[in-house]
């Protein structure tokens, strides 16, 4: 498979053997999900012919008239270009029903993964659904109970525990100390009791950190890009259609991780035929995906902060995937793809992200 050049995928797509879909992301801070530049990660994809994408770019250039060599989402997000942004997202626009966005609320991923690591499969009788329900309750009630400062301290400690790189105080030490202090101070509340339970799982935290030190994992649990690509492939392959992804170059997308994505997708029943990396400047379809990812990240982040623009959110909503990873109920009620779509369907179900052990263990299924 040619992952760096055009290869034969374009010809095969033209012959109708599979659907070729272009992808890009916005909001990547690696594993730093609680202290980075953004609180939302967006992965966008567009299933449009090259000619249509090029025509769309020409029209955007004609309407915006910026001398920039390469346009980005921030060009369309400027207030003076509001009409262009609305045109792109409109129901009669160039990508309606031909594009998809997978959203990830970063802080929720940290809470869910911490709960899964320390309580999931613990032999205590907790099912996967119980763990997810516990993560949701902690995520939604924690900020009010612990206060903004206490909540941010917990999130930062949990992020340090889960990320691969370690600096300063041993991550398990700082996590247990933070969880115990907050839990004891609020022991009469459900979030307080949850943190005390997490702190009691010190042995699991130590084992996790020891595994990271022994062999850094192929698939970090806190990087949202890889599971987002798997979800994107599943969306376009719905009904059994074969799909080939064309993705903007990303350092995270090594040959080994691409192989993991392909194998994971196949194990989940997705007809993913492959993934090829290109430079966004060389593929108009990827540039369209880049626009959508940046636009979606900004709109979703504004909704999360309670300063959303109802008109833009309504235009984005048809593009948002129901399996987005989202914990905040209020913003999801506005961003979710359809009335009545519950968070249970929208939440990350663990099938595309794995807790890493030694590299050989992670690679065993590839």
């Amino acid at each position: 498979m040619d992952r760096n050049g055009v290869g034969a995928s374009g010809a095969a797509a033209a012959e109708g053997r599979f659907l070729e879909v272009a992808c890009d992301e916005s909001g990547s801070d690696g594993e730093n999900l609680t202290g980075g530049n953004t609180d939302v990660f967006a992965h966008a994809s567009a299933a449009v012919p090259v000619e249509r994408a090029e025509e769309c770019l020409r029209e955007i250039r004609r309407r915006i008239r910026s001398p920039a060599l390469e346009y980005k989402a921030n060009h369309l997000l400027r207030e003076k270009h509001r009409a262009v942004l609305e045109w792109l997202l409109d129901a009669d626009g160039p990508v309606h029903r031909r594009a998809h966005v997978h959203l990830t609320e970063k802080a929720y991923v940290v809470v869910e993964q911490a709960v899964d690591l320390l309580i999931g499969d613990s032999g205590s009788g907790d099912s996967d659904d119980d763990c997810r329900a516990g993560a949701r309750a902690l995520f939604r009630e924690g900020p009010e109970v612990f206060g903004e400062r206490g909540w941010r301290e917990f999130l930062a400690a949990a992020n340090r525990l889960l990320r691969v790189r370690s600096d300063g105080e041993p991550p398990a030490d700082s996590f247990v100390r933070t969880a115990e202090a907050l839990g004891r101070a609020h022991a009469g509340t459900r979030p307080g009791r949850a943190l005390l339970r997490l702190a009691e799982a010190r042995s699991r935290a130590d084992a996790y950190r020891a595994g990271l030190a022994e062999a850094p994992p192929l698939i970090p649990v806190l990087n949202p890009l890889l599971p987002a690509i798997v979800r994107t492939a599943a969306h376009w392959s719905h009904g059994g259609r074969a799909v080939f992804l064309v993705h903007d170059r990303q350092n995270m997308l090594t040959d080994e991780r691409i192989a993991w994505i392909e194998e994971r997708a196949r194990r989940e029943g997705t007809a993913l035929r492959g993934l090829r990396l290109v430079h966004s400047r060389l593929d108009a379809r990827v540039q369209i995906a880049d626009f959508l990812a940046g636009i979606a990240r900004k709109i979703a982040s504004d909704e999360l902060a309670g300063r959303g623009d109802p008109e833009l959110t309504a235009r984005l909503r048809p593009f948002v995937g129901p399996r987005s990873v989202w914990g905040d109920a209020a913003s999801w009620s506005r961003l979710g793809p359809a009335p009545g779509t519950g968070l249970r369907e929208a939440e990350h179900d663990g099938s595309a992200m794995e807790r890493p052990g030694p590299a050989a263990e992670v690679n065993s299924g590839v």
Side-chain angles (χ1 to χ4, degrees):
M1 179 187 307
D2 181 1
R3 287 176 177 147
N4 298 299
V6 173
S9 64
E15 295 170 6
R17 300 211 301 266
F18 52 73
L19 177 67
E20 192 163 87
V21 180
C23 311
D24 205 351
E25 53 79 23
S26 178
S28 178
D29 288 308
E31 294 182 276
N32 187 13
L33 300 191
T34 61
N37 298 316
T38 61
D39 52 7
V40 173
F41 175 84
H43 187 266
S45 52
V48 294
V50 174
E51 297 78 9
R52 179 187 290 269
E54 291 173 344
E55 179 183 351
C56 180
L57 287 181
R58 286 194 296 270
E59 181 62 19
I60 289 173
R61 283 189 171 277
R62 186 187 70 80
R63 295 184 182 215
I64 291 181
R65 298 188 182 281
S66 168
L69 295 178
E70 183 178 9
Y71 280 24
K72 291 290 186 179
N74 59 4
H75 286 89
L76 284 81
L77 288 167
R78 294 169 186 166
E79 185 58 35
K80 64 180 179 179
H81 299 315
R82 170 75 176 237
V84 185
L85 174 57
E86 293 179 350
W87 165 78
L88 182 66
L89 298 179
D90 271 349
D92 58 353
V95 293
H96 184 68
R97 302 179 71 87
R98 298 181 178 90
H100 171 265
V101 177
H102 179 89
L103 296 174
T104 300
E105 185 180 0
K106 294 181 178 181
Y108 179 63
V109 172
V110 172
V111 174
E112 187 185 50
Q113 291 294 326
V115 170
D116 182 59
L117 167 68
L118 299 174
I119 298 177
D121 300 323
S122 63
S124 62
D126 292 295
S127 66
D128 288 344
D129 286 345
D130 290 336
C131 286
R132 293 186 197 109
R136 287 196 299 272
L138 176 59
F139 185 78
R140 295 173 189 172
E141 299 172 21
E144 182 176 355
V145 170
F146 304 130
E148 181 179 357
R149 179 177 178 180
W151 182 242
R152 297 306 303 178
E153 288 177 352
F154 167 70
L155 288 178
N159 199 140
R160 289 189 66 241
L161 173 67
L162 294 166
R163 70 184 302 176
V164 175
R165 182 173 60 84
S166 175
D167 51 14
E169 182 181 7
D173 290 349
S174 61
F175 175 81
V176 170
R177 186 184 65 252
T178 301
E180 280 185 341
L182 288 170
R184 288 173 179 169
H186 303 276
T189 67
R190 183 160 63 166
R193 291 189 295 271
L195 290 202
L196 288 175
R197 190 177 177 197
L198 293 177
E200 290 171 357
R202 173 61 187 263
S203 61
R204 300 189 80 175
D206 286 336
Y208 173 79
R209 294 305 310 180
L212 294 183
E214 179 182 348
L218 177 66
I219 312 299
V221 300
L222 290 186
N223 193 297
L225 175 62
L226 305 178
I229 295 175
V230 175
R231 289 286 163 256
T232 295
H235 168 79
W236 292 108
S237 181
H238 182 71
R241 184 169 191 177
V243 173
F244 191 99
L245 301 182
V246 179
H247 205 290
D248 187 29
R249 290 178 180 272
Q250 260 274 353
N251 290 336
M252 187 69 183
L253 293 176
T254 62
D255 285 347
E256 293 79 11
R257 293 191 178 110
I258 290 175
W260 180 89
I261 289 168
E262 294 170 349
E263 174 62 18
R264 170 64 63 169
R266 283 192 287 269
R267 286 166 57 186
E268 294 185 8
T270 298
L272 177 60
R273 293 292 179 261
L275 189 155
R276 173 166 51 87
L277 302 179
V278 301
H279 196 293
S280 61
R281 288 200 301 266
L282 303 180
D283 194 313
R285 301 168 302 172
V286 176
Q287 291 181 53
I288 298 300
D290 179 50
F291 289 158
L292 289 172
I295 290 166
R297 184 197 58 75
K298 178 63 165 59
I299 293 174
S301 184
D302 286 347
E303 280 295 343
L304 194 58
R307 57 173 184 268
D309 182 316
E311 292 184 3
L312 292 182
T313 300
R315 283 179 163 86
L316 175 66
R317 195 173 193 181
F319 296 94
V320 176
R323 301 194 71 182
S324 292
V325 184
W326 208 262
D328 181 71
S331 56
W332 182 255
S333 69
R334 298 183 291 270
L335 288 165
T341 298
L343 279 169
R344 180 63 187 88
E345 289 81 14
E347 286 167 349
H348 162 62
D349 63 2
S351 61
M353 293 181 77
E354 294 180 345
R355 185 182 314 126
E361 179 182 330
V362 176
N363 277 301
S364 62
V366 176

